[in-house]
Amino acid sequence: MLKISNRLLILICFVSCVILPGMAQTYIQYVDSADNYIKRENWRDAERMTIAALKAKPANKLNYLLWSNLGDIRTRMEDYDGALQAFEIALASAPKKELILNNRAYTYLQMGETDKAYEDINEALRLDSIQEWPLKMRGIINLGKSKYADAEKDFESLKKHFPANAAAYSGLGKIEAIKGNGETAMSLFEKSLELEQSDDTWFYLILINIETDNLPKAKEHLLIALKRYPRCGNLYLLRGLLHKKNYENTEADLDKNIALDYGADPHLVEQYLPKIKK
């Protein structure tokens, strides 16, 4: 997640806040300790030190940054109610800070509250339309909502401003696949995989090859993907689909069971591998 460096916060406090030397030292030490615990992913102590800093100087005008960090820390601890309370306090002091909105959006996503996350991301992008994580996530959410034109705009903006972001190409690849542009979709998926390996992108690249009857290429890609992700259920679904295309129904049935055992979406499995008659 995007969040301000606590070391930078320390520097800001030095140059912009007038505080007593003893109190400054205590406050800064707490912030620095919290930063170190965050780097070590020791969330419990990071929370403790952040709260100590807030108590040491509760009137510090920059405390909204600490409250935002506290919300993020609590999210990592799966204390979602505590996280939302921290973000609420942060936003009361700084309602137009993209940082806080993005952090809260991430928390909402972890909670499965996609619509609330979407609202925060929209507001963050209204404040600053060129942000990498929000553009990526809004594109993904729009795609999930079948708002393809909006998703395409987000992924195009992501690709333009952050050309090394693999999600821009995989997202556009899915949209091109929906449009029926198989060749363009495959090219975009391949570009995405050059930037970042992903079992999801491999799945769609192989599926497009299967659906366009390029079975030798699909098999070649599948062998590579299974070496990387040997417990990815969706890849076994595709292997079963290849077997089905070759009328190897017994093998397809076996792969269907493996796919389900490894966590493939049951609805997706039934869509591509319905009960096979032997």
Side-chain angles (χ1 to χ4, degrees):
M1 280 297 299
L2 301 173
K3 54 179 178 286
I4 193 167
S5 165
N6 283 315
R7 296 186 184 279
L8 177 57
L9 176 58
I10 293 167
L11 178 60
I12 295 170
C13 289
F14 268 131
V15 299
S16 64
C17 300
V18 179
I19 44 183
L20 296 174
M23 184 176 289
Q25 185 180 19
T26 303
Y27 180 80
I28 292 164
Q29 285 176 340
Y30 285 141
V31 172
D32 194 42
S33 293
D35 187 37
N36 287 328
Y37 284 128
I38 288 170
K39 289 175 181 175
R40 288 151 52 186
E41 298 186 3
N42 183 340
W43 307 118
R44 182 64 62 190
D45 285 331
E47 179 188 39
R48 181 169 57 85
M49 289 294 101
T50 303
I51 292 172
L54 289 165
K55 287 181 177 179
K57 196 167 193 306
N60 192 322
K61 292 182 179 180
L62 295 173
N63 275 350
Y64 68 86
L65 297 169
L66 289 185
W67 282 110
S68 183
N69 269 5
L70 182 60
D72 190 48
I73 290 165
R74 287 175 171 170
T75 299
R76 310 295 173 167
M77 297 165 63
E78 299 184 5
D79 175 13
Y80 299 126
D81 288 340
L84 293 178
Q85 289 173 4
F87 291 133
E88 202 65 36
I89 295 169
L91 286 167
S93 299
K96 296 183 181 296
K97 288 294 180 182
E98 311 92 278
L99 165 74
I100 308 169
L101 291 165
N102 290 334
N103 279 350
R104 189 171 69 172
Y106 176 81
T107 299
Y108 279 136
L109 289 173
Q110 297 305 301
M111 297 170 65
E113 297 278 2
T114 305
D115 288 341
K116 291 180 180 179
Y118 190 70
E119 290 177 11
D120 276 350
I121 290 169
N122 270 338
E123 179 62 15
L125 286 170
R126 189 188 67 79
L127 295 168
D128 179 359
S129 62
I130 304 173
Q131 297 182 76
E132 187 170 9
W133 184 82
L135 280 171
K136 170 187 169 181
M137 293 313 304
R138 192 171 71 178
I140 291 171
I141 294 171
N142 278 328
L143 193 57
K145 290 175 175 286
S146 300
K147 297 169 69 173
Y148 302 128
D150 290 338
E152 187 170 18
K153 288 178 184 177
D154 286 331
F155 289 129
E156 285 289 1
S157 181
L158 185 63
K159 181 165 72 76
K160 176 182 177 181
H161 298 291
F162 306 97
N165 191 302
Y169 303 92
S170 61
L172 289 170
K174 291 173 185 177
I175 292 168
E176 291 299 322
I178 291 165
K179 291 178 179 178
N181 301 326
E183 290 294 329
T184 304
M186 283 188 279
S187 177
L188 287 162
F189 289 136
E190 288 169 356
K191 175 63 177 178
S192 179
L193 287 168
E194 287 175 13
L195 293 167
E196 182 181 312
Q197 290 295 307
S198 161
D199 58 346
D200 181 70
T201 305
W202 275 112
F203 171 81
Y204 283 101
L205 175 61
I206 296 162
L207 181 61
I208 289 292
N209 275 282
I210 293 174
E211 291 186 340
T212 56
D213 289 323
N214 192 351
L215 301 188
K217 179 60 73 172
K219 185 176 181 180
E220 178 186 330
H221 285 323
L222 184 58
L223 288 171
I224 296 169
L226 279 171
K227 284 183 180 179
R228 287 184 175 274
Y229 306 102
R231 298 183 66 86
C232 175
N234 283 343
L235 294 178
Y236 288 96
L237 162 60
L238 295 179
R239 194 170 74 176
L241 186 55
L242 279 173
H243 284 307
K244 181 182 174 185
K245 290 274 188 180
N246 290 320
Y247 304 101
E248 298 165 345
N249 290 342
T250 300
E251 291 84 350
D253 234 0
L254 288 171
D255 278 332
K256 177 179 180 178
N257 291 331
I258 295 171
L260 290 168
D261 286 344
Y262 284 169
D265 183 339
H267 298 292
L268 196 63
V269 172
E270 286 304 318
Q271 177 184 342
Y272 286 103
L273 292 176
K275 188 175 178 64
I276 298 168
K277 295 180 180 179
K278 298 181 181 178

